[in-house]
Amino acid sequence: MTASQKIAILSVYDKTGLLDLAKGLIKNNVRLLASGGTAKLIREAGFDVEDVSAITKAPEMLSGRVKTLHPAVHAGILARNLESDEKDLADQNINKVDYVVCNLYPFKDTVAKINVTIPEAVEEIDIGGVTLIRAAAKNHTRVTILSDPNDYASFLQELDSGDVSDSSRQNYALKAFEHTADYDAAISDFFRKQYAGNGAQQLSLRYGANPHQKPASAFMRNGQLPFKVLGGSPGYINLLDCLNAWPLVKELKQALGLPAAASFKHVSPAGAAIGVPLSEKEQKVYMVDDIDGIGQSALAQAYARARGADRMSSFGDVIALSDKVDVPTAKIISREVSDGVIAPDYEPAALEILKKKKGGKYLVLAIDENYEPASQETRTVYGVTLTQGRNDVKITPSGTFSSIIRPKDSPALSEAALRDLTVATLAVKYTQSNSVAYAFNGQIVGLGAGQQSRIHCTRLAGDKADNWWMRFHERTLGIQWAKGVKRPEKSNAIDMLCSGQVPPQSEFEVKDYERNFAEGQVPEPFSAQERRDWLSQLSGVAVSSDAFFPFVDNVYRAARSGVKYIAAPTGSQNDGAVFDTAENLGITFIEQSTRLFHH
């Protein structure tokens, strides 16, 4: 070869466009070196090509596993335009390599084969090709690496015009690193499934979001999973709920210093609360007045509130608890329809109660309370990878709600108001947007999640808050139940009564509703005036929104449910009208300066 002749090394699994590329390289006076089947195909097409052994002076060996792993190859690729590198090459009589064309056998295809064995998979792990690609991509300021046959045509156009541009080499290098990263990910995924079957790093799930979405798994690329399975078998949605619910209760405990609980359904809280003592009336409303020891367990009180605020939405929930689970809390869980629980620890007696639930299939997870997730989050949607910084903003009573917008002469917020604003704001942080939360006495009493319009969130949450308050009416508390009526049926009947859905319209629905009550004891529906009179007694409710209130209709709706405090980000063009309306209605409007969308 001449001193000025450039060199290309070719070693490809996907031979699409290879002969056109070889023809174009030769046209530009590039010396071709190739290995194995790549060299064979080029040679049989009548093009000039040399085996890589022409520069390594060593034959392919170990059944082709060693072909390009040699200083003559990699020094030629990695050499920079430096005097010291030039001297090293001259001393060893090695020529620079200018172009590397390489792609890898798709390891995913290997492991997708039925009953593939570990030795069979291992045999397909490429060493030399990966090394070629990485070496060329590392030195892309000088060397062009082509790992995608779709780039051959544009590469040749540039080569025909004189040289490959810096921007093209940079783009090819990025593709090359992504190619090897995807390849390595497929290998690690295979071996994770083979060797990490104890659940420490990889956990097989029953299925994905739906039963037909198989296989499904949870895993950590670095380190171990931050939870252990003590009972049952998790599903995909179970873990989504658990891993959203746990940070909510952890942050509630950190912010307010009391045990916290959350009832999660479909990646949003149905309820969340801290362990504020329960009155006798609250115990009855939340159906826990017969739980021994509830007065001494702040954690049980927290879960009674979280579950009791919206029993309909909590049906089949996943539970998150901030503290070691005690027996009173486990007893509440044991008799409710629920799919699982996540907590840092369990008393032995409590764990035994939970492990008997659902015939031993109830999901029980123990989370490492010291675990801190990475600062960057990644997810894949429709084949597209998205990444963002984790929402690690801290919500605290002292630092988050200090800026009162209206009234300007408003006194400092009370401890109760700060507590409830904190509960509401942390709830919307972990609720599918748009979201609005109503809080009272340390618990969520109404939550609107995932609505496209904020007023619909506010209405939905307000309606739930009204429903919650109607359950404290003496008519609701005085219901006489028919013998054998189960807790879910009671919850459904109470919901119908308190939400104004009775009397039902069809005779079949009437019979289905009335069979829940003792003979002759069907409760009278609430009249519109009775509802207004009772709801007017609720006051001091706090509302938080994950983004600004753009219109005054939100404020009017909130006021009808006893709201006295609203916290929301500002920045809407209509802020002035919203602030004025709040002040006119006797509501304190507090700026919460961080938008908290959650998806």
Side-chain angles (χ1 to χ4, degrees):
M1 62 174 284
T2 63
S4 61
Q5 188 176 22
K6 294 189 173 182
I7 295 176
I9 292 180
L10 303 91
S11 180
V12 296
Y13 165 75
D14 183 353
K15 295 178 174 58
T16 302
L18 176 63
L19 296 181
D20 288 336
L21 176 66
K23 180 179 179 181
L25 287 167
I26 292 171
K27 174 186 171 185
N28 283 277
N29 192 34
V30 177
R31 180 187 180 191
L32 305 189
L33 300 168
S35 64
T38 305
K40 183 173 183 289
L41 183 64
I42 295 172
R43 189 173 291 118
E44 288 177 348
F47 297 120
D48 249 353
V49 62
E50 301 171 69
D51 292 325
V52 173
S53 58
I55 60 171
T56 63
K57 309 303 181 187
E60 293 185 10
M61 62 182 72
L62 303 181
S63 302
R65 283 171 296 188
V66 177
K67 299 186 283 264
T68 59
L69 295 170
H70 194 280
V73 172
H74 289 286
I77 295 172
L78 290 166
R80 297 162 295 178
N81 293 323
L82 300 175
E83 185 177 341
S84 58
D85 286 5
E86 299 282 1
K87 181 179 184 304
D88 286 342
L89 293 183
D91 289 345
Q92 301 300 322
N93 196 26
I94 294 173
N95 295 309
K96 285 181 180 175
V97 174
D98 303 279
Y99 311 106
V100 173
V101 183
C102 186
N103 55 63
L104 307 168
Y105 178 86
F107 189 81
K108 293 176 184 177
D109 291 354
T110 297
V111 296
K113 295 175 182 175
I114 298 175
N115 297 325
V116 64
T117 66
I118 293 177
E120 287 171 341
V122 166
E123 193 60 32
E124 296 297 342
I125 296 175
D126 195 306
I127 304 299
V130 173
T131 310
L132 279 176
I133 294 172
R134 289 181 64 84
K138 174 177 179 174
N139 202 25
H140 66 271
T141 55
R142 184 185 67 78
V143 178
T144 301
I145 170 63
L146 294 171
S147 59
D148 182 356
N150 290 320
D151 292 326
Y152 293 170
S154 58
F155 161 76
L156 288 175
Q157 285 179 353
E158 284 197 294
L159 197 61
D160 289 342
S161 299
D163 201 2
V164 182
S165 67
D166 290 343
S167 62
S168 292
R169 284 199 303 275
Q170 291 163 3
N171 183 53
Y172 299 152
L174 172 59
K175 278 192 173 184
F177 282 126
E178 288 176 338
H179 185 47
T180 58
D182 183 64
Y183 185 76
D184 285 339
I187 295 171
S188 62
D189 183 60
F190 173 76
F191 282 102
R192 189 184 303 111
K193 291 174 181 175
Q194 301 299 319
Y195 296 151
N198 61 3
Q201 188 181 358
Q202 147 89 23
L203 182 65
S204 294
L205 306 179
R206 295 196 308 274
Y207 48 77
N210 298 289
H212 65 275
Q213 291 176 264
K214 297 178 181 179
S217 65
F219 63 88
M220 299 285 286
R221 293 200 184 280
N222 296 296
Q224 296 186 341
L225 290 167
F227 58 83
K228 294 180 180 178
V229 180
L230 304 184
S233 176
Y236 184 89
I237 293 177
N238 292 154
L239 284 187
L240 285 179
D241 283 337
C242 286
L243 297 176
N244 276 277
W246 165 250
L248 170 55
V249 299
K250 181 180 180 180
E251 292 176 36
L252 277 171
K253 171 85 178 281
Q254 290 172 341
L256 297 170
L258 288 171
S263 170
F264 249 69
K265 282 286 293 294
H266 295 290
V267 207
S268 284
I274 55 173
V276 175
L278 293 165
S279 68
E280 289 186 8
K281 195 171 188 180
E282 286 174 322
Q283 289 184 31
K284 188 172 182 181
V285 168
Y286 300 149
M287 300 184 181
V288 294
D289 51 317
D290 59 342
I291 296 291
D292 291 337
I294 191 160
Q296 292 73 49
S297 171
L299 186 67
Q301 293 165 358
Y303 180 58
R305 290 185 180 280
R307 174 85 186 201
D310 185 359
R311 291 185 58 82
M312 296 292 288
S313 295
S314 288
F315 184 87
D317 63 348
V318 162
I319 302 158
L321 301 165
S322 66
D323 289 42
K324 178 186 282 191
V325 180
D326 55 20
V327 170
T329 308
K331 284 183 176 179
I332 299 174
I333 297 171
S334 70
R335 64 188 192 181
E336 301 290 6
V337 177
S338 172
D339 284 346
V341 59
I342 183 169
D345 201 1
Y346 300 82
E347 290 180 0
L351 183 59
E352 286 305 308
I353 292 171
L354 296 172
K355 290 176 76 170
K356 292 176 182 177
K357 188 173 174 65
K358 296 177 73 171
K361 295 181 180 180
Y362 188 67
L363 177 63
V364 182
L365 299 182
I367 182 80
D368 177 3
E369 57 187 327
N370 296 314
Y371 167 71
E372 288 293 335
S375 59
Q376 201 73 10
E377 294 179 330
T378 303
R379 66 189 299 185
T380 302
V381 180
Y382 202 59
V384 177
T385 299
L386 307 175
T387 184
Q388 66 173 353
R390 184 169 59 88
N391 186 2
D392 56 3
V393 63
K394 299 297 182 185
I395 307 298
T396 63
S398 59
T400 305
F401 310 105
S402 57
S403 179
I404 296 176
I405 303 291
R406 295 284 183 87
K408 293 182 178 179
D409 58 352
S410 177
L413 296 172
S414 67
E415 287 188 12
L418 288 169
R419 173 199 64 198
D420 293 345
L421 286 168
T422 301
V423 172
T425 304
L426 274 169
V428 296
K429 180 183 175 185
Y430 290 100
T431 300
Q432 294 291 293
S433 297
N434 287 325
S435 61
V436 173
Y438 292 55
F440 184 74
N441 207 17
Q443 69 179 83
I444 297 300
V445 296
L447 195 145
Q451 302 302 303
Q452 291 79 8
S453 167
R454 189 154 305 278
I455 183 56
H456 291 150
C457 289
T458 308
R459 290 173 184 166
L460 177 59
D463 290 349
K464 288 185 176 184
D466 294 349
N467 185 308
W468 165 81
W469 182 238
M470 292 301 299
R471 288 164 56 200
F472 285 83
H473 194 283
E474 290 302 323
R475 189 179 304 166
T476 311
L477 288 170
I479 289 175
Q480 300 296 308
W481 299 104
K483 187 177 181 180
V485 177
K486 296 179 180 179
R487 297 168 69 82
E489 294 168 331
K490 291 179 181 180
S491 297
N492 186 52
I494 290 171
D495 183 80
M496 291 184 69
L497 175 66
C498 291
S499 60
Q501 300 300 310
V502 291
Q505 298 302 305
S506 73
E507 61 174 301
F508 300 107
E509 193 176 6
V510 169
K511 289 181 180 179
D512 198 55
Y513 173 69
E514 292 185 348
R515 69 175 177 78
N516 293 294
F517 309 105
E519 188 172 350
Q521 298 295 321
V522 177
E524 284 292 319
F526 291 107
S527 68
Q529 186 61 49
E530 284 179 314
R531 289 181 63 83
R532 284 194 296 271
D533 290 346
W534 183 253
L535 292 173
S536 69
Q537 299 179 42
L538 179 61
S539 182
V541 176
V543 159
S544 188
S545 172
D546 64 359
F548 53 67
F549 272 176
F551 299 107
V552 299
D553 52 4
N554 292 281
V555 184
Y556 286 126
R557 177 61 192 89
R560 293 203 297 271
S561 295
V563 169
K564 291 299 177 185
Y565 309 96
I566 292 176
T570 60
S572 168
Q573 293 181 346
N574 206 34
D575 272 353
V578 170
F579 300 156
D580 289 343
T581 302
E583 186 169 15
N584 291 338
L585 294 172
I587 295 173
T588 301
F589 197 103
I590 304 103
E591 181 180 27
Q592 192 287 98
S593 59
T594 305
R595 196 181 78 175
L596 294 171
F597 282 168
H598 181 67
H599 292 277

